[in-house]
Each structure stands twice: as C-alpha cells, then as structure tokens.
Amino acid sequence: AQSVTQPDIHITVSEGASLELRCNYSYGATPYLFWYVQSPGQGLQLLLKYFSGDTLVQGIKGFEAEFKRSQSSFNLRKPSVHWSDAAEYFCAVVTGGGNKLTFGTGTQLKVEL
Amino acid sequence: NAGVTQTPKFQVLKTGQSMTLQCAQDMNHEYMSWYRQDPGMGLRLIHYSVGAGITDQGEVPNGYNVSRSTTEDFPLRLLSAAPSQTSVYFCASSYQSPGQGAGYTFGSGTRLTVV
C-alpha cells in the first residue's frame, strides 16, 4: 500500500540555521505529495504540494520541498529557521484511488534561540 | 468566513456512552473527512465523503458512523465509546478530492477522553 515514512521523530535546530525534514514515499507511480504543519493545539495547515512538473516546489512561510524519484523522497527545507517554525510537520501522500490522504507519523521541530 | 468548525472542543465520555462530534464548513467544499490523531501514529483516516449522500471508510472505521445529508455538515458518531477511542479528532474539508490537487482545510480539533 502507498505510504510515507518520516524517519525523524524529533529534530532540534538553532534559530537562523537551515532545516531539512525527511519524507520517503512508497508508491509505484508518480505520487501526489503534501507537507502540512501543526502548531500546538491547532489543526493542520497546508505548506505545499507536489503533483507534477517542477520537482522543486515552493510553499508558504519560506518553505520548499524537492521531489526526488531516484531516492523516493520529498524532503522539506527552509534556509533559515525562525523560532515561530517550532511545530509538528507531517508529510502525506494521496492514496485510495485519489480519494484519501495518508499521513506520516510526523516530525516534531524544536527551535533553540 | 468561519472555515471548518468542530464542536465540542473537549469531551469526556464514560465507556459505553454514545455521542456525535459535529463538523460544519461554510466553503461549499464537496470533500470532507475525519481523522484521529494519536501520539506517534500521525493522523489516521476514519471516514470520508466526496459529496452529499456519499461516504466511505478510511483505515480505522470500526466503532464510528458517519452520514452526509448536506454539503455543509459531516457528523461523526461514536455508537458505544471505548477507551481506545480516546484521541484528538480532526475534521478536514476541500473543494475536491486529494487526488485532484486540493489541499485540506482543517478544523481545530475535538479532544475526546473515554474513561
């Protein structure tokens, strides 16, 4: 079955440092992939998505992600992290013939000042 | 524009009780879904609907019922609550199915505890 794996449960970075959150997918064809962010006590917010075309996707809040078919990855990046980026980040893949969105287990980001 | 509204925000139930979690959206979205979020397990899909009158099961549907009589509302019913249903529940909606490119708008969640 199609799925995504987020290998890192927790990541800590210093404010101003660069960030890369990993997401690996398991899918035979070209997957449709999303990244969402969840601030404490909130629902999830869409950061960006990949369906086709350019493999480097720009999102909100200065985030970007790169689709790499050879590595089955869709890693999320930000060049300079702000303290307000501390949150939980979820990668997700479209499944169920296009009617379902399956989420990874999430990566909790802590930002040190 | 309220977006996706979930009620209640918090609920404590006794084992065996029933209740309905409410979800309403005012964006005329066709697609709606319910997820539960548990520590270390991410979000798991319970049920979803691609339009009024059409519902289908997700990966963890047991113990939950849904219906979609209007475009706006998608209630989730727990028929006989069990401690294993202690979780945070999220409703999400989008104007199209995920496979058509639509991102979800999430509600703020309902924290349910079953004792």
Side-chain angles (χ1 to χ4, degrees), chain B residues 63-83:
Chain B
Y64 307 95
N65 277 357
V66 292
S67 60
R68 184 97 180 270
S69 56
T70 67
T71 299
E72 295 77 20
D73 299 298
F74 191 43
L76 178 71
R77 298 182 186 85
L78 283 70
L79 304 177
S80 178

mmCIF file with all atom_site columns, all heavy atoms in Angstrom, chain B residues 63-83:
data_model
loop_
_atom_site.group_PDB
_atom_site.id
_atom_site.type_symbol
_atom_site.label_atom_id
_atom_site.label_alt_id
_atom_site.label_comp_id
_atom_site.label_asym_id
_atom_site.label_entity_id
_atom_site.label_seq_id
_atom_site.pdbx_PDB_ins_code
_atom_site.Cartn_x
_atom_site.Cartn_y
_atom_site.Cartn_z
_atom_site.occupancy
_atom_site.B_iso_or_equiv
_atom_site.pdbx_formal_charge
_atom_site.auth_seq_id
_atom_site.auth_comp_id
_atom_site.auth_asym_id
_atom_site.auth_atom_id
_atom_site.pdbx_PDB_model_num
ATOM 1   N N   . GLY B 1 63 ? -16.233 1.256  14.940 1.00 0.00 ? 63 GLY B N   1
ATOM 2   C CA  . GLY B 1 63 ? -16.721 1.981  16.106 1.00 0.00 ? 63 GLY B CA  1
ATOM 3   C C   . GLY B 1 63 ? -17.244 3.367  15.789 1.00 0.00 ? 63 GLY B C   1
ATOM 4   O O   . GLY B 1 63 ? -17.697 4.069  16.697 1.00 0.00 ? 63 GLY B O   1
ATOM 5   N N   . TYR B 1 64 ? -17.176 3.749  14.528 1.00 0.00 ? 64 TYR B N   1
ATOM 6   C CA  . TYR B 1 64 ? -17.607 5.090  14.104 1.00 0.00 ? 64 TYR B CA  1
ATOM 7   C C   . TYR B 1 64 ? -18.599 5.000  12.935 1.00 0.00 ? 64 TYR B C   1
ATOM 8   O O   . TYR B 1 64 ? -18.422 4.173  12.051 1.00 0.00 ? 64 TYR B O   1
ATOM 9   C CB  . TYR B 1 64 ? -16.415 5.926  13.629 1.00 0.00 ? 64 TYR B CB  1
ATOM 10  C CG  . TYR B 1 64 ? -15.259 6.013  14.592 1.00 0.00 ? 64 TYR B CG  1
ATOM 11  C CD1 . TYR B 1 64 ? -14.174 5.142  14.488 1.00 0.00 ? 64 TYR B CD1 1
ATOM 12  C CD2 . TYR B 1 64 ? -15.234 6.975  15.589 1.00 0.00 ? 64 TYR B CD2 1
ATOM 13  C CE1 . TYR B 1 64 ? -13.101 5.215  15.357 1.00 0.00 ? 64 TYR B CE1 1
ATOM 14  C CE2 . TYR B 1 64 ? -14.166 7.063  16.464 1.00 0.00 ? 64 TYR B CE2 1
ATOM 15  C CZ  . TYR B 1 64 ? -13.097 6.182  16.341 1.00 0.00 ? 64 TYR B CZ  1
ATOM 16  O OH  . TYR B 1 64 ? -12.036 6.272  17.201 1.00 0.00 ? 64 TYR B OH  1
ATOM 17  N N   . ASN B 1 65 ? -19.586 5.900  12.965 1.00 0.00 ? 65 ASN B N   1
ATOM 18  C CA  . ASN B 1 65 ? -20.501 6.031  11.839 1.00 0.00 ? 65 ASN B CA  1
ATOM 19  C C   . ASN B 1 65 ? -20.516 7.478  11.363 1.00 0.00 ? 65 ASN B C   1
ATOM 20  O O   . ASN B 1 65 ? -20.312 8.404  12.161 1.00 0.00 ? 65 ASN B O   1
ATOM 21  C CB  . ASN B 1 65 ? -21.924 5.654  12.246 1.00 0.00 ? 65 ASN B CB  1
ATOM 22  C CG  . ASN B 1 65 ? -22.149 4.156  12.187 1.00 0.00 ? 65 ASN B CG  1
ATOM 23  O OD1 . ASN B 1 65 ? -21.271 3.395  11.785 1.00 0.00 ? 65 ASN B OD1 1
ATOM 24  N ND2 . ASN B 1 65 ? -23.331 3.735  12.590 1.00 0.00 ? 65 ASN B ND2 1
ATOM 25  N N   . VAL B 1 66 ? -20.785 7.656  10.083 1.00 0.00 ? 66 VAL B N   1
ATOM 26  C CA  . VAL B 1 66 ? -20.925 8.995  9.526  1.00 0.00 ? 66 VAL B CA  1
ATOM 27  C C   . VAL B 1 66 ? -22.123 9.025  8.589  1.00 0.00 ? 66 VAL B C   1
ATOM 28  O O   . VAL B 1 66 ? -22.594 7.984  8.118  1.00 0.00 ? 66 VAL B O   1
ATOM 29  C CB  . VAL B 1 66 ? -19.663 9.444  8.739  1.00 0.00 ? 66 VAL B CB  1
ATOM 30  C CG1 . VAL B 1 66 ? -18.474 9.646  9.667  1.00 0.00 ? 66 VAL B CG1 1
ATOM 31  C CG2 . VAL B 1 66 ? -19.350 8.464  7.627  1.00 0.00 ? 66 VAL B CG2 1
ATOM 32  N N   . SER B 1 67 ? -22.569 10.226 8.317  1.00 0.00 ? 67 SER B N   1
ATOM 33  C CA  . SER B 1 67 ? -23.565 10.469 7.279  1.00 0.00 ? 67 SER B CA  1
ATOM 34  C C   . SER B 1 67 ? -23.289 11.837 6.698  1.00 0.00 ? 67 SER B C   1
ATOM 35  O O   . SER B 1 67 ? -22.633 12.676 7.334  1.00 0.00 ? 67 SER B O   1
ATOM 36  C CB  . SER B 1 67 ? -24.987 10.387 7.843  1.00 0.00 ? 67 SER B CB  1
ATOM 37  O OG  . SER B 1 67 ? -25.154 11.368 8.853  1.00 0.00 ? 67 SER B OG  1
ATOM 38  N N   . ARG B 1 68 ? -23.804 12.089 5.506  1.00 0.00 ? 68 ARG B N   1
ATOM 39  C CA  . ARG B 1 68 ? -23.587 13.383 4.844  1.00 0.00 ? 68 ARG B CA  1
ATOM 40  C C   . ARG B 1 68 ? -24.886 13.756 4.143  1.00 0.00 ? 68 ARG B C   1
ATOM 41  O O   . ARG B 1 68 ? -25.068 13.528 2.960  1.00 0.00 ? 68 ARG B O   1
ATOM 42  C CB  . ARG B 1 68 ? -22.433 13.295 3.841  1.00 0.00 ? 68 ARG B CB  1
ATOM 43  C CG  . ARG B 1 68 ? -22.097 14.627 3.184  1.00 0.00 ? 68 ARG B CG  1
ATOM 44  C CD  . ARG B 1 68 ? -20.949 15.304 3.857  1.00 0.00 ? 68 ARG B CD  1
ATOM 45  N NE  . ARG B 1 68 ? -20.620 16.569 3.246  1.00 0.00 ? 68 ARG B NE  1
ATOM 46  C CZ  . ARG B 1 68 ? -19.739 16.712 2.242  1.00 0.00 ? 68 ARG B CZ  1
ATOM 47  N NH1 . ARG B 1 68 ? -19.117 15.641 1.733  1.00 0.00 ? 68 ARG B NH1 1
ATOM 48  N NH2 . ARG B 1 68 ? -19.477 17.905 1.761  1.00 0.00 ? 68 ARG B NH2 1
ATOM 49  N N   . SER B 1 69 ? -25.778 14.346 4.916  1.00 0.00 ? 69 SER B N   1
ATOM 50  C CA  . SER B 1 69 ? -27.080 14.722 4.354  1.00 0.00 ? 69 SER B CA  1
ATOM 51  C C   . SER B 1 69 ? -27.037 16.089 3.682  1.00 0.00 ? 69 SER B C   1
ATOM 52  O O   . SER B 1 69 ? -27.880 16.385 2.827  1.00 0.00 ? 69 SER B O   1
ATOM 53  C CB  . SER B 1 69 ? -28.164 14.696 5.431  1.00 0.00 ? 69 SER B CB  1
ATOM 54  O OG  . SER B 1 69 ? -27.796 15.543 6.505  1.00 0.00 ? 69 SER B OG  1
ATOM 55  N N   . THR B 1 70 ? -26.073 16.912 4.050  1.00 0.00 ? 70 THR B N   1
ATOM 56  C CA  . THR B 1 70 ? -25.906 18.223 3.409  1.00 0.00 ? 70 THR B CA  1
ATOM 57  C C   . THR B 1 70 ? -24.451 18.413 3.034  1.00 0.00 ? 70 THR B C   1
ATOM 58  O O   . THR B 1 70 ? -23.570 17.728 3.565  1.00 0.00 ? 70 THR B O   1
ATOM 59  C CB  . THR B 1 70 ? -26.320 19.378 4.339  1.00 0.00 ? 70 THR B CB  1
ATOM 60  O OG1 . THR B 1 70 ? -25.392 19.440 5.435  1.00 0.00 ? 70 THR B OG1 1
ATOM 61  C CG2 . THR B 1 70 ? -27.732 19.189 4.879  1.00 0.00 ? 70 THR B CG2 1
ATOM 62  N N   . THR B 1 71 ? -24.175 19.353 2.157  1.00 0.00 ? 71 THR B N   1
ATOM 63  C CA  . THR B 1 71 ? -22.786 19.655 1.804  1.00 0.00 ? 71 THR B CA  1
ATOM 64  C C   . THR B 1 71 ? -22.022 20.209 2.995  1.00 0.00 ? 71 THR B C   1
ATOM 65  O O   . THR B 1 71 ? -20.834 19.951 3.152  1.00 0.00 ? 71 THR B O   1
ATOM 66  C CB  . THR B 1 71 ? -22.750 20.680 0.648  1.00 0.00 ? 71 THR B CB  1
ATOM 67  O OG1 . THR B 1 71 ? -23.392 20.124 -0.490 1.00 0.00 ? 71 THR B OG1 1
ATOM 68  C CG2 . THR B 1 71 ? -21.313 21.047 0.284  1.00 0.00 ? 71 THR B CG2 1
ATOM 69  N N   . GLU B 1 72 ? -22.713 20.951 3.861  1.00 0.00 ? 72 GLU B N   1
ATOM 70  C CA  . GLU B 1 72 ? -22.040 21.676 4.929  1.00 0.00 ? 72 GLU B CA  1
ATOM 71  C C   . GLU B 1 72 ? -21.624 20.809 6.116  1.00 0.00 ? 72 GLU B C   1
ATOM 72  O O   . GLU B 1 72 ? -20.648 21.104 6.781  1.00 0.00 ? 72 GLU B O   1
ATOM 73  C CB  . GLU B 1 72 ? -22.943 22.805 5.451  1.00 0.00 ? 72 GLU B CB  1
ATOM 74  C CG  . GLU B 1 72 ? -23.237 23.905 4.455  1.00 0.00 ? 72 GLU B CG  1
ATOM 75  C CD  . GLU B 1 72 ? -24.278 23.501 3.414  1.00 0.00 ? 72 GLU B CD  1
ATOM 76  O OE1 . GLU B 1 72 ? -25.046 22.540 3.662  1.00 0.00 ? 72 GLU B OE1 1
ATOM 77  O OE2 . GLU B 1 72 ? -24.313 24.131 2.341  1.00 0.00 ? 72 GLU B OE2 1
ATOM 78  N N   . ASP B 1 73 ? -22.383 19.762 6.415  1.00 0.00 ? 73 ASP B N   1
ATOM 79  C CA  . ASP B 1 73 ? -22.202 19.060 7.680  1.00 0.00 ? 73 ASP B CA  1
ATOM 80  C C   . ASP B 1 73 ? -21.735 17.621 7.474  1.00 0.00 ? 73 ASP B C   1
ATOM 81  O O   . ASP B 1 73 ? -22.211 16.913 6.583  1.00 0.00 ? 73 ASP B O   1
ATOM 82  C CB  . ASP B 1 73 ? -23.520 19.053 8.469  1.00 0.00 ? 73 ASP B CB  1
ATOM 83  C CG  . ASP B 1 73 ? -23.981 20.454 8.794  1.00 0.00 ? 73 ASP B CG  1
ATOM 84  O OD1 . ASP B 1 73 ? -23.253 21.164 9.499  1.00 0.00 ? 73 ASP B OD1 1
ATOM 85  O OD2 . ASP B 1 73 ? -25.074 20.838 8.323  1.00 0.00 ? 73 ASP B OD2 1
ATOM 86  N N   . PHE B 1 74 ? -20.857 17.182 8.375  1.00 0.00 ? 74 PHE B N   1
ATOM 87  C CA  . PHE B 1 74 ? -20.336 15.812 8.303  1.00 0.00 ? 74 PHE B CA  1
ATOM 88  C C   . PHE B 1 74 ? -20.110 15.316 9.732  1.00 0.00 ? 74 PHE B C   1
ATOM 89  O O   . PHE B 1 74 ? -18.985 15.284 10.227 1.00 0.00 ? 74 PHE B O   1
ATOM 90  C CB  . PHE B 1 74 ? -19.044 15.798 7.495  1.00 0.00 ? 74 PHE B CB  1
ATOM 91  C CG  . PHE B 1 74 ? -18.548 14.425 7.134  1.00 0.00 ? 74 PHE B CG  1
ATOM 92  C CD1 . PHE B 1 74 ? -19.412 13.435 6.689  1.00 0.00 ? 74 PHE B CD1 1
ATOM 93  C CD2 . PHE B 1 74 ? -17.188 14.127 7.210  1.00 0.00 ? 74 PHE B CD2 1
ATOM 94  C CE1 . PHE B 1 74 ? -18.950 12.178 6.333  1.00 0.00 ? 74 PHE B CE1 1
ATOM 95  C CE2 . PHE B 1 74 ? -16.708 12.871 6.861  1.00 0.00 ? 74 PHE B CE2 1
ATOM 96  C CZ  . PHE B 1 74 ? -17.582 11.902 6.422  1.00 0.00 ? 74 PHE B CZ  1
ATOM 97  N N   . PRO B 1 75 ? -21.166 14.921 10.439 1.00 0.00 ? 75 PRO B N   1
ATOM 98  C CA  . PRO B 1 75 ? -21.020 14.483 11.832 1.00 0.00 ? 75 PRO B CA  1
ATOM 99  C C   . PRO B 1 75 ? -20.411 13.094 11.952 1.00 0.00 ? 75 PRO B C   1
ATOM 100 O O   . PRO B 1 75 ? -20.627 12.227 11.097 1.00 0.00 ? 75 PRO B O   1
ATOM 101 C CB  . PRO B 1 75 ? -22.465 14.500 12.347 1.00 0.00 ? 75 PRO B CB  1
ATOM 102 C CG  . PRO B 1 75 ? -23.300 14.297 11.119 1.00 0.00 ? 75 PRO B CG  1
ATOM 103 C CD  . PRO B 1 75 ? -22.561 14.956 9.988  1.00 0.00 ? 75 PRO B CD  1
ATOM 104 N N   . LEU B 1 76 ? -19.675 12.896 13.026 1.00 0.00 ? 76 LEU B N   1
ATOM 105 C CA  . LEU B 1 76 ? -19.056 11.604 13.330 1.00 0.00 ? 76 LEU B CA  1
ATOM 106 C C   . LEU B 1 76 ? -19.695 11.057 14.600 1.00 0.00 ? 76 LEU B C   1
ATOM 107 O O   . LEU B 1 76 ? -19.667 11.711 15.641 1.00 0.00 ? 76 LEU B O   1
ATOM 108 C CB  . LEU B 1 76 ? -17.551 11.777 13.545 1.00 0.00 ? 76 LEU B CB  1
ATOM 109 C CG  . LEU B 1 76 ? -16.759 10.516 13.920 1.00 0.00 ? 76 LEU B CG  1
ATOM 110 C CD1 . LEU B 1 76 ? -16.658 9.574  12.718 1.00 0.00 ? 76 LEU B CD1 1
ATOM 111 C CD2 . LEU B 1 76 ? -15.364 10.877 14.418 1.00 0.00 ? 76 LEU B CD2 1
ATOM 112 N N   . ARG B 1 77 ? -20.248 9.852  14.514 1.00 0.00 ? 77 ARG B N   1
ATOM 113 C CA  . ARG B 1 77 ? -20.943 9.259  15.646 1.00 0.00 ? 77 ARG B CA  1
ATOM 114 C C   . ARG B 1 77 ? -20.138 8.119  16.254 1.00 0.00 ? 77 ARG B C   1
ATOM 115 O O   . ARG B 1 77 ? -19.692 7.224  15.529 1.00 0.00 ? 77 ARG B O   1
ATOM 116 C CB  . ARG B 1 77 ? -22.318 8.747  15.219 1.00 0.00 ? 77 ARG B CB  1
ATOM 117 C CG  . ARG B 1 77 ? -23.238 9.831  14.713 1.00 0.00 ? 77 ARG B CG  1
ATOM 118 C CD  . ARG B 1 77 ? -24.611 9.285  14.336 1.00 0.00 ? 77 ARG B CD  1
ATOM 119 N NE  . ARG B 1 77 ? -25.423 10.328 13.724 1.00 0.00 ? 77 ARG B NE  1
ATOM 120 C CZ  . ARG B 1 77 ? -25.382 10.631 12.424 1.00 0.00 ? 77 ARG B CZ  1
ATOM 121 N NH1 . ARG B 1 77 ? -24.586 9.959  11.611 1.00 0.00 ? 77 ARG B NH1 1
ATOM 122 N NH2 . ARG B 1 77 ? -26.144 11.605 11.957 1.00 0.00 ? 77 ARG B NH2 1
ATOM 123 N N   . LEU B 1 78 ? -19.998 8.174  17.568 1.00 0.00 ? 78 LEU B N   1
ATOM 124 C CA  . LEU B 1 78 ? -19.443 7.062  18.315 1.00 0.00 ? 78 LEU B CA  1
ATOM 125 C C   . LEU B 1 78 ? -20.622 6.337  18.941 1.00 0.00 ? 78 LEU B C   1
ATOM 126 O O   . LEU B 1 78 ? -21.359 6.907  19.749 1.00 0.00 ? 78 LEU B O   1
ATOM 127 C CB  . LEU B 1 78 ? -18.491 7.541  19.410 1.00 0.00 ? 78 LEU B CB  1
ATOM 128 C CG  . LEU B 1 78 ? -17.081 7.979  18.975 1.00 0.00 ? 78 LEU B CG  1
ATOM 129 C CD1 . LEU B 1 78 ? -17.127 9.277  18.195 1.00 0.00 ? 78 LEU B CD1 1
ATOM 130 C CD2 . LEU B 1 78 ? -16.177 8.087  20.187 1.00 0.00 ? 78 LEU B CD2 1
ATOM 131 N N   . LEU B 1 79 ? -20.809 5.094  18.580 1.00 0.00 ? 79 LEU B N   1
ATOM 132 C CA  . LEU B 1 79 ? -22.015 4.374  19.000 1.00 0.00 ? 79 LEU B CA  1
ATOM 133 C C   . LEU B 1 79 ? -21.920 3.879  20.437 1.00 0.00 ? 79 LEU B C   1
ATOM 134 O O   . LEU B 1 79 ? -22.893 3.924  21.189 1.00 0.00 ? 79 LEU B O   1
ATOM 135 C CB  . LEU B 1 79 ? -22.261 3.203  18.054 1.00 0.00 ? 79 LEU B CB  1
ATOM 136 C CG  . LEU B 1 79 ? -22.374 3.599  16.576 1.00 0.00 ? 79 LEU B CG  1
ATOM 137 C CD1 . LEU B 1 79 ? -22.551 2.359  15.714 1.00 0.00 ? 79 LEU B CD1 1
ATOM 138 C CD2 . LEU B 1 79 ? -23.529 4.575  16.375 1.00 0.00 ? 79 LEU B CD2 1
ATOM 139 N N   . SER B 1 80 ? -20.749 3.374  20.818 1.00 0.00 ? 80 SER B N   1
ATOM 140 C CA  . SER B 1 80 ? -20.522 2.856  22.172 1.00 0.00 ? 80 SER B CA  1
ATOM 141 C C   . SER B 1 80 ? -19.047 3.099  22.480 1.00 0.00 ? 80 SER B C   1
ATOM 142 O O   . SER B 1 80 ? -18.196 2.308  22.096 1.00 0.00 ? 80 SER B O   1
ATOM 143 C CB  . SER B 1 80 ? -20.863 1.371  22.236 1.00 0.00 ? 80 SER B CB  1
ATOM 144 O OG  . SER B 1 80 ? -20.590 0.852  23.531 1.00 0.00 ? 80 SER B OG  1
ATOM 145 N N   . ALA B 1 81 ? -18.789 4.190  23.158 1.00 0.00 ? 81 ALA B N   1
ATOM 146 C CA  . ALA B 1 81 ? -17.411 4.639  23.318 1.00 0.00 ? 81 ALA B CA  1
ATOM 147 C C   . ALA B 1 81 ? -16.564 3.632  24.092 1.00 0.00 ? 81 ALA B C   1
ATOM 148 O O   . ALA B 1 81 ? -17.033 3.000  25.060 1.00 0.00 ? 81 ALA B O   1
ATOM 149 C CB  . ALA B 1 81 ? -17.380 5.988  24.022 1.00 0.00 ? 81 ALA B CB  1
ATOM 150 N N   . ALA B 1 82 ? -15.312 3.514  23.661 1.00 0.00 ? 82 ALA B N   1
ATOM 151 C CA  . ALA B 1 82 ? -14.341 2.643  24.312 1.00 0.00 ? 82 ALA B CA  1
ATOM 152 C C   . ALA B 1 82 ? -13.090 3.454  24.631 1.00 0.00 ? 82 ALA B C   1
ATOM 153 O O   . ALA B 1 82 ? -12.797 4.434  23.933 1.00 0.00 ? 82 ALA B O   1
ATOM 154 C CB  . ALA B 1 82 ? -13.982 1.475  23.399 1.00 0.00 ? 82 ALA B CB  1
ATOM 155 N N   . PRO B 1 83 ? -12.339 3.066  25.663 1.00 0.00 ? 83 PRO B N   1
ATOM 156 C CA  . PRO B 1 83 ? -11.110 3.809  25.997 1.00 0.00 ? 83 PRO B CA  1
ATOM 157 C C   . PRO B 1 83 ? -10.152 3.938  24.815 1.00 0.00 ? 83 PRO B C   1
ATOM 158 O O   . PRO B 1 83 ? -9.415  4.935  24.721 1.00 0.00 ? 83 PRO B O   1
ATOM 159 C CB  . PRO B 1 83 ? -10.521 2.986  27.130 1.00 0.00 ? 83 PRO B CB  1
ATOM 160 C CG  . PRO B 1 83 ? -11.701 2.356  27.801 1.00 0.00 ? 83 PRO B CG  1
ATOM 161 C CD  . PRO B 1 83 ? -12.653 2.028  26.676 1.00 0.00 ? 83 PRO B CD  1
#
